[in-house]
Amino acid sequence: FDAENANGVEVGAKGLLFDRLYYDVALFALRVRNVAVPYENAAGVTYYRDAGESHRRGLELALSAWLAPGLSARGSYTYASYRYQDFDSVDLGSGAVVSQDGHLEPNAPVNVLGLELRWDHPSGFFATSSLRYFSKLWVDDANSASAPAATTTNLRLGWDLRRGDLAITPFVGAQNWTGTEFDDRIRPNASFGRYYEPAPRATIYGGVELRYAGAAR
């Protein structure tokens, strides 16, 4: 099993437009050798094998905007094409050598979009609403099976309090509160089609965050 290594280039730009829109954009291209590819045998034990080479190319874009006093929005988009270029795998059932060249790597969505809207009140109360979309996920090297695309939504409410040098933030939230069905975890190249681990239909959580904020100025 050889160590993974990569060569690549990334170019980007960031800045502020109209005194209220911050942008950050990057393009990248990587050539990765000896990619560690997981697979699972019939007993459910995970092993790894080397893929000779993979080309990973993509775009990352992030935007932040101040819409009004106390109201802000953030957005991000990622395009990622991760393709095998020199990878011959052995079929665990037949023992045949199969070329995976040109196939997309599993568990890596090509398109991911995130949006968030946040409101902050002078009293310290805040509320955020976020949305995340990801395109379908291939779950095996042959690209013969996939997990469907999904859009999830989250809510979070909290209150930032200051007591001397201590910042206290009680909060409550709901993840996937609309009940979208999607796979929370993928097991790439699992045997007998055991690729999918469904996510909870909804998760309610709460807590208190404590942090030392230093003396007030």
Side-chain angles (χ1 to χ4, degrees), residues 82-140:
Y82 296 178
R83 290 189 182 274
Y84 294 126
Q85 299 298 317
D86 182 15
F87 181 25
D88 294 330
S89 65
V90 177
D91 184 271
L92 298 180
S94 64
V97 176
V98 181
S99 173
Q100 309 294 358
D101 292 3
H103 293 166
L104 288 166
E105 294 183 41
N107 205 25
V110 174
N111 297 285
V112 178
L113 174 67
L115 300 171
E116 180 185 275
L117 189 65
R118 180 180 175 108
W119 176 65
D120 289 277
H121 190 267
S123 67
F125 179 80
F126 67 87
T128 64
S129 177
S130 62
L131 174 150
R132 183 175 184 267
Y133 164 82
F134 56 88
S135 56
K136 73 177 181 180
L137 293 164
W138 295 111
V139 298
D140 63 347

Side-chain angles (χ1 to χ4, degrees), residues 40-46 187 191 194:
E40 184 183 279
N41 67 10
V45 179
T46 298
R187 298 158 65 182
S191 58
R194 298 177 298 197

Side-chain angles (χ1 to χ4, degrees), residues 119-206:
W119 176 65
D120 289 277
H121 190 267
S123 67
F125 179 80
F126 67 87
T128 64
S129 177
S130 62
L131 174 150
R132 183 175 184 267
Y133 164 82
F134 56 88
S135 56
K136 73 177 181 180
L137 293 164
W138 295 111
V139 298
D140 63 347
D141 294 327
N143 292 173
S144 63
S146 64
T151 300
T152 62
T153 50
N154 304 313
L155 294 173
R156 181 181 168 102
L157 305 175
W159 193 11
D160 285 327
L161 303 171
R162 185 71 176 265
R163 295 294 182 269
D165 293 344
L166 187 65
I168 306 170
T169 305
F171 60 87
V172 64
Q175 295 178 333
N176 192 32
W177 63 275
T178 55
T180 299
E181 294 184 6
F182 70 103
D183 295 297
D184 186 43
R185 184 171 178 268
I186 299 298
R187 298 158 65 182
N189 300 306
S191 58
F192 306 113
R194 298 177 298 197
Y195 310 116
Y196 313 101
E197 293 188 8
R201 293 294 295 271
T203 302
I204 307 298
Y205 66 92

